[in-house]
Protein backbone atom coordinates (compact mmCIF):
# COMPACT_ATOMS: atom_id res chain seq x y z
CA UNK A 1 0.00 0.00 0.00
CA UNK A 2 2.59 2.53 1.09
CA UNK A 3 4.97 1.98 -1.80
CA UNK A 4 2.55 1.15 -4.62
CA UNK A 5 3.08 4.35 -6.55
CA UNK A 6 6.84 3.78 -6.61
CA UNK A 7 6.52 0.20 -7.95
CA UNK A 8 8.48 -0.39 -11.11
CA UNK A 9 7.81 -3.17 -13.61
CA UNK A 10 9.69 -5.76 -11.53
CA UNK A 11 7.77 -4.86 -8.37
CA UNK A 12 4.42 -5.08 -10.17
CA UNK A 13 5.21 -8.48 -11.66
CA UNK A 14 6.50 -9.76 -8.32
CA UNK A 15 3.40 -8.55 -6.46
CA UNK A 16 1.03 -10.38 -8.83
CA UNK A 17 3.22 -13.47 -8.87
CA UNK A 18 3.39 -13.73 -5.09
CA UNK A 19 -0.32 -13.13 -4.64
CA UNK A 20 -1.05 -15.77 -7.26
CA UNK A 21 1.12 -18.28 -5.43
CA UNK A 22 -0.71 -17.75 -2.13
CA UNK A 23 -3.10 -20.62 -3.03
CA UNK A 24 -5.98 -19.27 -1.00
CA UNK A 25 -9.26 -21.13 -1.03
CA UNK A 26 -12.23 -19.49 -2.71
CA UNK A 27 -13.58 -18.24 0.62
CA UNK A 28 -10.20 -16.88 1.71
CA UNK A 29 -9.71 -15.24 -1.68
CA UNK A 30 -13.15 -13.59 -1.49
CA UNK A 31 -12.33 -12.22 1.97
CA UNK A 32 -8.98 -10.93 0.73
CA UNK A 33 -10.70 -9.22 -2.21
CA UNK A 34 -13.22 -7.54 0.12
CA UNK A 35 -10.53 -6.42 2.56
CA UNK A 36 -7.98 -5.25 -0.03
CA UNK A 37 -10.18 -4.28 -2.97
CA UNK A 38 -8.98 -0.65 -3.02
CA UNK A 39 -5.33 -1.67 -2.91
CA UNK A 40 -5.85 -4.31 -5.61
CA UNK A 41 -7.62 -1.81 -7.85
CA UNK A 42 -4.70 0.60 -7.41
CA UNK A 43 -2.32 -2.20 -8.34
CA UNK A 44 -4.42 -2.98 -11.43
CA UNK A 45 -4.27 0.67 -12.51
CA UNK A 46 -0.55 0.86 -11.87
CA UNK A 47 -0.02 -2.39 -13.76
CA UNK A 48 -1.80 -0.91 -16.77
CA UNK A 49 0.58 2.05 -16.71
CA UNK A 50 3.73 -0.13 -16.67
CA UNK A 51 2.61 -2.76 -19.23
CA UNK A 52 4.69 -1.20 -22.05
CA UNK A 53 7.81 -1.42 -19.87
CA UNK A 54 7.40 -5.08 -18.84
CA UNK A 55 9.96 -7.63 -19.99
CA UNK A 56 8.59 -10.91 -21.32
CA UNK A 57 9.50 -12.54 -18.00
CA UNK A 58 7.53 -9.87 -16.15
CA UNK A 59 4.59 -10.30 -18.55
CA UNK A 60 4.62 -14.03 -17.80
CA UNK A 61 4.74 -13.53 -14.02
CA UNK A 62 2.04 -10.87 -14.09
CA UNK A 63 -0.33 -12.89 -16.30
CA UNK A 64 0.23 -16.08 -14.35
CA UNK A 65 -0.28 -14.38 -10.99
CA UNK A 66 -3.42 -12.54 -12.13
CA UNK A 67 -4.89 -15.72 -13.60
CA UNK A 68 -4.25 -17.71 -10.44
CA UNK A 69 -5.69 -14.97 -8.27
CA UNK A 70 -8.85 -14.75 -10.41
CA UNK A 71 -9.46 -11.08 -9.56
CA UNK A 72 -12.22 -10.23 -12.03
CA UNK A 73 -11.51 -6.46 -12.23
CA UNK A 74 -8.12 -7.35 -13.73
CA UNK A 75 -9.70 -8.81 -16.90
CA UNK A 76 -9.09 -5.63 -18.92
CA UNK A 77 -5.49 -5.58 -17.73
CA UNK A 78 -5.08 -9.16 -18.92
CA UNK A 79 -6.23 -8.03 -22.37
CA UNK A 80 -3.59 -5.28 -22.33
CA UNK A 81 -0.95 -7.80 -21.32
CA UNK A 82 -2.04 -10.08 -24.15
CA UNK A 83 -1.77 -7.23 -26.64
CA UNK A 84 1.74 -6.47 -25.36
CA UNK A 85 2.80 -10.13 -25.40
CA UNK A 86 1.49 -11.10 -28.85
CA UNK A 87 4.07 -9.32 -31.03
CA UNK A 88 6.83 -10.47 -28.66
CA UNK A 89 6.02 -14.20 -28.54
CA UNK A 90 9.36 -15.04 -30.15
CA UNK A 91 11.13 -13.56 -27.10
CA UNK A 92 9.46 -15.94 -24.61
CA UNK A 93 11.25 -19.09 -23.46
CA UNK A 94 9.25 -22.34 -23.49
CA UNK A 95 8.22 -22.16 -19.82
CA UNK A 96 7.22 -18.50 -20.07
CA UNK A 97 5.18 -19.19 -23.17
CA UNK A 98 3.46 -22.16 -21.50
CA UNK A 99 2.66 -20.17 -18.33
CA UNK A 100 1.36 -17.22 -20.32
CA UNK A 101 -0.78 -19.46 -22.53
CA UNK A 102 -2.17 -21.14 -19.40
CA UNK A 103 -3.06 -17.75 -17.95
CA UNK A 104 -5.19 -16.96 -20.99
CA UNK A 105 -6.79 -20.43 -21.26
Amino acid sequence: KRHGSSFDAINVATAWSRMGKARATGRERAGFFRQEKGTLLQLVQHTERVVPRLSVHEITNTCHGMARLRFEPAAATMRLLGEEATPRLGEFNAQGLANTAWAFA
Side-chain angles (χ1 to χ4, degrees), residues 18-83:
R18 288 194 179 171
M19 284 189 294
K21 289 179 182 176
R23 292 198 184 261
T25 65
R27 178 173 283 150
E28 291 168 335
R29 192 170 33 251
F32 175 72
F33 291 163
R34 275 192 304 278
Q35 184 178 358
E36 299 296 336
K37 186 174 183 176
T39 302
L40 288 168
L41 291 173
Q42 287 177 342
L43 182 57
V44 166
Q45 291 172 346
H46 190 66
T47 302
E48 291 175 358
R49 287 192 297 272
V50 301
V51 164
R53 295 190 300 274
L54 294 174
S55 70
V56 293
H57 184 74
E58 293 158 351
I59 291 171
T60 296
N61 288 347
T62 303
C63 290
H64 195 255
M66 283 183 161
R68 289 188 63 152
L69 197 59
R70 294 182 240 154
F71 184 55
E72 190 60 35
T77 308
M78 286 291 289
R79 283 190 293 279
L80 286 175
L81 288 161
E83 291 169 6

